[in-house]
């Protein structure tokens, strides 16, 4: 893919500094706030049903993450999602742990049925479960996927009428017709809780700032994973990597991204 359109997508985030409203889990909420800031956008976390719709209406994107969900939180997600849908504000769903318990799977299916989800972003196991394609999930981690990942991402996108971002050593982005693969990243990203959640935040920032959700989501994945590559050069282990990941996201330049983003059509992968 044209490296300039990837770099331009980062420029668009930094110029528009979109507000990214999150209703998210209690484990990685601070990481999501700070990676949103380091990307060049503005985070806000607001989950109370009394304000979720009002806050969503002010946002450039809404990120719904079911990592530590409750029945009440699902209701807040529906309120926020409806407010966003009424205004054409993109909603990103992170189906953390879908497939691990019936509650998580059913919550995702309800959110996907009742809301217009712009981007469904999960790991390979979560997307495989929701696609009905033999995904396996252990807690919040992917435990495997049956079949060709590009085909699963595309099939899931068609099933739900959304853009799918399926993360792993390579990230697959598909709207059901066009499927891109992002090759950037480093294995240390899989050794840290929160990198999947942060991917959703970064996707939210890029989709808020862009016109084409497939290109924006691919640019988001390339940017975050390129920051991961640079951070890995500075790290002594997972926790110094974590610090470096935020710094490298904030310091990422359009020139570096244009030179190193590895975004291809999956068919040509
Ligand atoms: N082995 C790996 N090599 C490169 N990047 C990885 C690897 N594992 C995960 N990532 C990156 O880490 C982020 C989180 O992906 P993943 O671990 O699949 O999500 P989750 O935390 O939801 O299980 C994504 O940006 C993905 O590209
Ligand atoms: C460990 C854990 N448990 C519930 S949510 C959560 C964080 C998951 O973060 P990620 O999916 O980004 O690894
Ligand atoms: Mg993880």
């Amino acid at each position: 893919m044209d490296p300039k359109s990837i770099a331009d997508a980062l420029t668009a985030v930094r110029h528009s500094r979109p507000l990214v409203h999150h209703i998210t889990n209690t484990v990685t909420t601070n990481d999501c706030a700070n990676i949103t800031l380091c990307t060049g956008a503005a985070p806000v976390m607001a989950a109370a049903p009394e304000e979720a719709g009002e806050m969503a209406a002010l946002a450039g994107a809404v990120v719904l993450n079911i990592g530590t969900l409750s029945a009440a939180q699902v209701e807040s997600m529906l309120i926020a999602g409806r407010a966003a849908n009424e205004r054409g504000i993109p909603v990103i769903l992170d189906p953390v742990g879908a497939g691990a318990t019936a509650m998580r799977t059913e919550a995702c299916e309800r959110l996907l049925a009742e809301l217009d989800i712009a981007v469904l972003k999960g790991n390979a196991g979560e997307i495989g479960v929701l696609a009905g394609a033999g995904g396996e999930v252990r807690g919040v981690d992917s435990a495997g996927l049956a079949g060709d990942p590009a085909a699963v991402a595309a099939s899931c996108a068609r099933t739900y009428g959304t853009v799918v971002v399926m993360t792993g050593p390579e990230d697959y982005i598909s709207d059901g017709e066009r499927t891109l693969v992002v090759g950037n990243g480093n294995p240390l990203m899989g050794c840290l809780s929160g990198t999947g959640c942060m991917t959703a935040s970064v996707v939210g920032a890029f989709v808020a700032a862009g016109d084409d959700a497939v290109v924006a989501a691919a640019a988001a994945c390339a940017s975050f994973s390129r920051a991961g590559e640079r951070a890995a050069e500075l790290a002594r282990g997972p926790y110094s990597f974590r610090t470096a990941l935020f710094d490298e996201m904030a310091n990422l330049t359009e020139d570096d991204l244009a030179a190193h983003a590895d975004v291809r059509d999956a068919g040509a992968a």
Side-chain angles (χ1 to χ4, degrees):
M1 191 176 166
D2 174 22
K4 186 169 182 309
S5 40
I6 302 292
D8 285 349
L10 178 60
T11 304
V13 175
R14 289 173 174 170
H15 280 178
S16 62
R17 200 167 182 268
L19 181 67
V20 184
H21 173 208
H22 296 66
I23 300 179
T24 191
N25 69 70
T26 54
V27 181
T28 66
T29 185
N30 183 257
D31 288 332
C32 290
N34 281 312
I35 206 68
T36 303
L37 280 169
C38 292
T39 301
V44 63
M45 279 55 182
E50 293 85 353
E51 68 165 356
E54 196 179 346
M55 191 65 81
L58 298 172
V62 175
V63 175
L64 306 177
N65 175 310
I66 69 152
T68 51
L69 87 172
S70 63
Q73 200 186 50
V74 174
E75 296 307 321
S76 289
M77 290 182 179
L78 289 166
I79 292 168
R82 285 187 204 112
N85 284 171
E86 282 166 16
R87 293 162 180 82
I89 297 163
V91 179
I92 291 82
L93 175 61
D94 189 336
V96 180
T101 66
M103 182 186 183
R104 285 170 193 262
T105 311
E106 286 162 14
C108 291
E109 283 167 355
R110 183 165 178 216
L111 292 165
L112 283 158
E114 295 192 26
L115 298 176
D116 181 1
I117 300 294
V119 181
L120 172 64
K121 190 279 334 152
N123 63 37
E126 293 156 353
I127 297 297
V129 165
L130 293 173
E136 288 181 42
V137 174
R138 181 168 178 267
V140 297
D141 295 326
S142 174
L145 176 75
D148 171 59
V152 172
S155 156
C156 189
R158 285 192 293 273
T159 298
Y160 293 109
T162 187
V163 170
V164 166
V165 173
M166 189 172 83
T167 59
E170 293 186 314
D171 301 327
Y172 293 85
I173 299 96
S174 182
D175 62 4
E177 292 185 5
R178 181 178 194 199
T179 304
L180 301 175
V181 57
V182 176
N184 298 102
N186 183 280
L188 276 168
M189 297 178 82
C191 300
L192 203 58
S193 179
T195 49
C197 303
M198 287 190 268
T199 302
S201 300
V202 177
V203 167
F206 274 75
V207 171
D211 301 324
D212 180 331
V214 172
V215 172
C221 291
S223 298
F224 186 50
S225 288
R226 175 62 189 150
E229 289 173 355
R230 292 175 58 96
E233 289 173 19
L234 305 167
R236 291 170 44 233
Y239 230 65
S240 54
F241 173 74
R242 177 179 180 274
T243 299
L245 181 60
F246 289 99
D247 288 343
E248 293 306 309
M249 194 69 206
N251 294 338
L252 188 65
T253 66
E254 281 86 347
D255 285 349
D256 180 275
L257 189 59
H260 298 285
D262 176 12
V263 183
R264 291 160 274 134
D265 279 318

